[in-house]
Structures are given as structure tokens and as C-alpha cells.
Amino acid sequence: EPEVTQTPSHQVTQMGQEVILRCVPISNHLYFYWYRQILGQKVEFLVSFYNNEISEKSEIFDDQFSVERPDGSNFTLKIRSTKLEDSAMYFCASRGLDEQYFGPGTRLTVT
Amino acid sequence: GESVGLHLPTLSVQEGDNSIINCAYSNSASDYFIWYKQESGKGPQFIIDIRSNMDKRQGQRVTVLLNKTVKHLSLQIAATQPGDSAVYFCAERAGNMLTFGGGTRLMVKP
């Protein structure tokens, strides 16, 4: 069964450093998403991406965040200068028609 | 695991019993709703969905009910099993954005 994959599974970085989280969505899907989940809290929407551009973004997704689909398979989330409060699980998701499938997540720890 | 942060309501059921998990959504413009299951350290796993033009949809052992009048969604799990133990989130979609509810922890006692 096709699935969304994410790398790395765990990323530790120092405050102020840039990180890139990577995702490979399901191959025939057209919509791509990033969500985050702070430990013990609910999943929060960050951004949606369709047709090579951002279609919606939340207040969390400020100028420190960017997304890119550099080739036909990868979808990345970049955080330019990480803060302590960026520590969370980051989930990528993709959607064909309706069902949205999530990847296993990357745990980002900012120290 | 989830040891800090949001306090989740917990539903504790006996193995073999039916479970009902409820969710209130907020946006009357939402046209699509999904239930996800999340186990510790994993991503949300799709369980069942329903469009706003329906009020009931059944899957294997699961049923979702939608009441648009009171903006209420429920997930019914028949013959609950230990493997069903997880946090369950409802999500609503308006436009291209999913908004998740706060989640309910289901604990199944053997």
C-alpha cells in the first residue's frame, strides 16, 4: 500500500540553526501539507501546497518557514532560524481526492 | 508519549463493548470530516470519513455519524479490541485546510 514517508525520524538542532524536513508524498497525489504537533497537544495545520504554490497557510507559518517541491517526488519544510518553541513532531500529508494520508512524522528537538 | 500539555478526555471501555467517541466542530462551512487514530509516537492514521451531504457512513467495525444541525460528529467502534487503544481525533475540512479537534484517549481494558 502506498504511504507517505518522512526523513529524518528525529532531528536535533541548536537554536538559530536552519533545518530542512523532508517528505515523499504518495506518488499520484496532488495536494501536500505540513502539520505540527507539540508534545501532548493536538495536530495543527501549517501549510497546504498545490500546483507548485502555497494554497493556504496558518498563522504559525511565518517568514521563518518555507516549503518547496524541488522535484517530482520530494516535498520539504524549511525552518530558517529555529526557536525552542519549534520543538514538535512535524507531519507531512498528501491527498488525492479526499482522503488525506499522514507520514510517520519527524521529531524536531531544538536545544 | 503524551505526558504534558493538553489534558485529553479519556474513554475507558471493556474489550468487546462498543465505543462512542464524540466531537464538536466549529465551522459550518466545513464540507468534509475525518476521524483519525493516533498511537503514541506515530502519525495520524485515517479511519473513516464523511461528506457533509451525508449523515451516516459505515466501515468495517466503525460508523461515523454527522449532525450538521448541532455541528456534532461521532465515531462508533463495534466490539472494541485492545488494538483500538489510541487517541482519536476528528478533523473538519473547509477549503484545503484540515482543522483537528482536541482528541479523546480510548483505553480498552482486557
Side-chain angles (χ1 to χ4, degrees):
Chain A
E1 187 177 313
E3 58 183 14
V4 177
T5 59
Q6 291 185 242
T7 54
S9 56
H10 191 189
Q11 174 88 47
V12 181
T13 190
Q14 287 191 323
M15 198 166 52
Q17 296 296 304
E18 174 184 286
V19 293
I20 297 176
L21 309 182
R22 302 180 192 278
C23 169
V24 178
I26 294 172
S27 62
N28 60 347
H29 284 184
L30 301 176
Y31 298 86
F32 313 110
Y33 306 83
W34 283 101
Y35 293 81
R36 81 170 185 192
Q37 186 178 32
I38 294 170
L39 186 64
Q41 298 190 19
K42 65 180 180 180
V43 178
E44 298 174 289
F45 170 81
L46 292 178
V47 66
S48 61
F49 193 85
Y50 172 72
N51 202 24
N52 282 320
E53 61 183 22
I54 290 172
S55 54
E56 289 184 73
K57 60 182 181 178
S58 70
E59 292 175 353
I60 304 168
F61 194 87
D62 62 22
D63 292 345
Q64 292 300 310
F65 292 86
S66 62
V67 289
E68 198 175 39
R69 188 156 162 81
D71 53 42
S73 60
N74 290 286
F75 180 52
T76 61
L77 174 69
K78 182 193 289 186
I79 309 175
R80 262 179 272 283
S81 177
T82 49
K83 303 187 284 286
L84 293 175
E85 53 266 37
D86 292 327
S87 294
M89 284 289 287
Y90 287 81
F91 295 107
C92 172
S94 70
R95 170 166 84 94
L97 289 176
D98 275 335
E99 294 180 22
Q100 194 167 119
Y101 291 94
F102 284 75
T106 292
R107 181 173 296 284
L108 177 65
T109 302
V110 183
T111 62
Chain B
E2 299 86 14
S3 60
V4 295
L6 188 70
H7 173 71
L8 292 174
T10 299
L11 175 66
S12 186
V13 301
Q14 204 69 41
E15 181 179 356
D17 287 353
N18 297 334
S19 304
I20 300 177
I21 300 171
N22 296 301
C23 175
Y25 66 93
S26 55
N27 189 350
S28 54
S30 294
D31 60 358
Y32 178 67
F33 305 87
I34 314 174
W35 279 101
Y36 285 97
K37 171 186 180 182
Q38 188 176 28
E39 296 171 290
S40 183
K42 296 184 179 179
Q45 177 189 349
F46 175 92
I47 301 174
I48 191 168
D49 59 357
I50 188 168
R51 287 189 166 276
S52 59
N53 61 353
M54 302 170 68
D55 53 23
K56 181 178 179 179
R57 189 156 189 238
Q58 287 185 290
Q60 190 176 20
R61 277 203 311 122
V62 293
T63 301
V64 55
L65 299 177
L66 174 63
N67 185 331
K68 293 183 289 293
T69 304
V70 295
K71 297 211 275 289
H72 184 267
L73 198 65
S74 70
L75 175 70
Q76 300 177 1
I77 304 173
T80 315
Q81 301 167 1
D84 295 327
S85 294
V87 176
Y88 289 80
F89 293 96
C90 68
E92 57 181 306
R93 191 180 75 199
N96 201 19
M97 187 171 83
L98 270 186
T99 301
F100 281 77
T104 297
R105 185 182 304 280
L106 176 65
M107 296 176 62
V108 183
K109 295 176 286 188

